[in-house]
């Protein structure tokens, strides 16, 4: 198996169910996983391939650590759209814990939608969406991650 890459996790907001799926797949494929956050995040599986980097609590400290330490072919998992854009600019693969793979073609539109939602919320207007994490989300995440790993392992 090809483990010339690492999976990085912006761990502050990654759902625990997604972390469990990730660690199972990483263990099966012998892929190193590095969690980065401003606080310790527990692992559901212990393995020498899994590490936790705890950064200072300064704004964007964990994001900057990820951007400054990722290598070519690394996979990054984050919900943070500005971080995803920075990673895409480095030409790495980035997805969220719902299985959405961010691309150059989609990230700018997603950032604009995020900005509009923030402006509406500031005005007291809600879009009616709830931020739940459903069974469908974990299934999509598992499928997207499996697909990316399979592609990496072919090369």
């Amino acid at each position: 198996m090809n483990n010339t890459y690492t999976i990085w996790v912006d761990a502050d907001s990654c759902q625990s169910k997604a972390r469990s799926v990730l660690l199972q797949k990483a263990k099966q494929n012998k892929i190193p996983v590095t969690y980065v956050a401003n606080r310790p995040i527990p692992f559901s599986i212990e393995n020498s391939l899994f590490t936790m980097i705890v950064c200072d609590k300064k704004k964007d400290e964990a994001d900057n650590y990820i951007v400054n330490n990722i290598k070519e072919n690394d996979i990054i998992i984050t919900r943070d759209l500005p971080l995803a854009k920075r990673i895409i600019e480095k030409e790495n693969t980035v997805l969220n814990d719902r299985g959405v793979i961010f691309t150059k073609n989609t990230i700018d539109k997603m950032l604009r939608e995020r900005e509009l939602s923030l402006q509406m919320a500031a005005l007291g207007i809600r879009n009616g969406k709830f931020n739940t994490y459903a069974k469908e989300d974990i299934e999509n995440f598992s499928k997207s991650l499996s697909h990316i790993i399979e592609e990496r392992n072919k090369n």
Side-chain angles (χ1 to χ4, degrees):
M1 298 204 177
N2 180 359
N3 61 358
T4 59
Y5 61 93
T6 297
I7 298 175
W8 294 80
V9 183
D10 179 14
D12 287 322
S13 66
C14 187
Q15 290 285 332
S16 62
K17 290 178 185 176
R19 292 193 314 259
S20 293
V21 167
L22 163 65
L23 294 176
Q24 293 262 348
K25 290 183 183 304
K27 184 177 175 184
Q28 290 168 352
N29 290 280
K30 297 180 176 59
I31 304 166
V33 175
T34 302
Y35 284 173
V36 182
N38 295 326
R39 60 186 170 85
I41 304 291
F43 296 132
S44 60
I45 300 171
E46 292 296 322
N47 190 296
S48 62
L49 290 169
F50 309 151
T51 58
M52 176 76 226
I53 305 294
V54 179
C55 298
D56 289 338
K57 294 191 185 250
K58 296 177 194 169
K59 182 173 173 28
D60 296 329
E61 197 72 23
D63 296 358
N64 292 336
Y65 186 92
I66 292 170
V67 170
N68 292 331
N69 288 280
I70 57 177
K71 307 284 186 246
E72 184 178 357
N73 291 324
D74 284 352
I75 300 166
I76 299 82
I77 299 168
T78 186
R79 285 186 174 192
D80 183 326
L81 295 177
L83 174 59
K85 182 171 176 74
R86 292 173 66 190
I87 293 165
I88 289 168
E89 289 170 353
K90 290 187 79 161
E91 299 186 4
N92 285 84
T93 300
V94 60
L95 71 156
N96 69 15
D97 60 1
R98 295 176 189 265
V100 175
I101 300 171
F102 300 112
T103 67
K104 288 179 182 180
N105 294 332
T106 61
I107 194 67
D108 288 330
K109 179 182 179 211
M110 294 173 93
L111 282 165
R112 284 191 303 276
E113 289 172 353
R114 174 181 173 263
E115 183 60 31
L116 179 59
S117 291
L118 291 172
Q119 289 174 3
M120 290 173 63
L123 294 171
I125 303 168
R126 299 282 176 206
N127 63 8
K129 291 183 181 177
F130 295 98
N131 195 13
T132 60
Y133 194 74
K135 182 179 178 182
E136 174 183 291
D137 295 319
I138 195 65
E139 290 169 358
N140 290 337
F141 174 71
S142 181
K143 287 177 190 173
S144 293
L145 184 60
S146 291
H147 174 74
I148 292 167
I149 291 171
E150 286 170 17
E151 289 297 312
R152 288 290 190 290
N153 290 344
K154 284 181 190 176
N155 299 328

